Amino acid sequence: MGRQDSRAPLYILFAANLLNIALDFLFILGLGLGAKGAAAATVLADIFAFLLGLYLLSRVHVDIWSYIRKEIGQKKLLPWIDSSPWINLLKINTELFIRTCLLLLTLNFFTAQGAAQGDNVLAANAILIQLLMMTSYALDGFAHATEALVGESIAKRSTTLFRNTVRSAGLWALGSAVLITLVLVSGKPLILSLFTDIKPVIHQAEQVYWWLCALPLLAVWSYQLDGVFIGAGKSRDMRNTMFIASVLVFFPAWWFTRDWGNTGIWFSLFLWIGARSLGLIVYFQYYTVTNSWIRKLQ
């Protein structure tokens, strides 16, 4: 992704999932191994993906081992001993780890509260969350592209490239969010029937379906700005925004809307995503007004 080579990750994911499916058929249906067969298929597919990734990496024409031997031969060991890059890497990773933990905590709590209301609500929410995840996957493509291009613009100290990247990727992402919303709204009867024919589950899904329809236009900003902030290395702001959205918005909103049933859970999720988007927009505006995206490198 950092090299702007999106084909390699596509090849890796496609090959891993195709192999996983084939091994599922072999181990589960062919050999009757059940859950153990599914687990073995996943592990083997992941190992294959890792090996394929190493092979694709070897084609980048960067002989890292020759470089290391050259550095050792010339006794230029300082870059390898210098701890500052490693500390910075661990700092960014820690902040992103905390952000991801908060995200998973919120989504798992959302699922648990749906389960507490019965099997039909749990099943309905599972369907809608899958649709929400499909939406995020579609919009995350622009965010991934933004990460690489924003990183390049900052490395080159190019304000023009940064602005063009944010503007063009944002417009494409917004257009995609509008299209997804239209599909969700117009295709409601067909979409739900693709997942289940159990009427009580469909009925529960229909009760909160319109919250799902509204989320792409709200969530697109958090997805897109995630790409900007990751590319710029501003993971602390992402962590802070997620903390505010989860701890200060989602959980209080759920507490005060417990009597609303499943609608209260979705309303809380709506506010959570909205708080994430708003928080990142505020940070983005601050760095833009103060010209802080590129300034530190000048």
Side-chain angles (χ1 to χ4, degrees), residues 119-185:
D119 293 343
N120 290 332
V121 173
L122 175 62
N125 285 350
I127 293 173
L128 298 181
I129 284 293
Q130 285 299 315
L131 290 170
L132 180 60
M133 291 297 104
M134 291 172 64
T135 299
S136 71
Y137 296 150
L139 298 178
D140 268 348
F142 298 105
H144 291 319
T146 301
E147 291 175 22
L149 292 173
V150 165
E152 179 185 2
S153 68
I154 291 179
K156 292 181 176 179
R157 307 183 186 182
S158 174
T159 302
T160 300
L161 178 59
F162 176 85
R163 291 175 178 173
N164 289 342
T165 296
V166 173
R167 183 184 302 111
S168 59
L171 288 174
W172 276 101
L174 178 59
S176 300
V178 172
L179 180 61
I180 291 171
T181 300
L182 292 176
V183 170
L184 290 175
V185 172

Side-chain angles (χ1 to χ4, degrees), residues 45-205:
D46 283 344
I47 293 174
F48 174 77
F50 170 64
L51 296 176
L52 177 60
L54 290 179
Y55 169 72
L56 294 175
L57 185 63
S58 69
R59 301 177 61 186
V60 179
H61 305 297
V62 177
D63 191 344
I64 186 64
W65 300 114
S66 295
Y67 175 75
I68 293 175
R69 287 194 297 269
K70 179 181 177 181
E71 291 293 305
I72 293 176
Q74 297 179 1
K75 298 182 179 180
K76 294 181 179 179
L77 298 178
L78 185 59
W80 302 96
I81 299 175
D82 185 8
S83 62
S84 58
W86 298 98
I87 293 175
N88 189 44
L89 178 66
L90 291 174
K91 179 182 177 182
I92 292 177
N93 188 71
T94 299
E95 290 165 345
L96 290 176
F97 176 74
I98 294 173
R99 168 189 171 274
T100 302
C101 287
L102 289 169
L103 186 149
L104 293 176
L105 172 65
T106 303
L107 291 178
N108 287 335
F109 185 84
F110 173 91
T111 301
Q113 292 306 308
Q117 298 185 42
D119 293 343
N120 290 332
V121 173
L122 175 62
N125 285 350
I127 293 173
L128 298 181
I129 284 293
Q130 285 299 315
L131 290 170
L132 180 60
M133 291 297 104
M134 291 172 64
T135 299
S136 71
Y137 296 150
L139 298 178
D140 268 348
F142 298 105
H144 291 319
T146 301
E147 291 175 22
L149 292 173
V150 165
E152 179 185 2
S153 68
I154 291 179
K156 292 181 176 179
R157 307 183 186 182
S158 174
T159 302
T160 300
L161 178 59
F162 176 85
R163 291 175 178 173
N164 289 342
T165 296
V166 173
R167 183 184 302 111
S168 59
L171 288 174
W172 276 101
L174 178 59
S176 300
V178 172
L179 180 61
I180 291 171
T181 300
L182 292 176
V183 170
L184 290 175
V185 172
S186 60
K188 173 187 171 183
L190 175 62
I191 291 174
L192 293 179
S193 65
L194 291 174
F195 286 87
T196 183
D197 58 357
I198 303 175
K199 291 183 178 180
V201 174
I202 294 178
H203 174 72
Q204 290 293 339

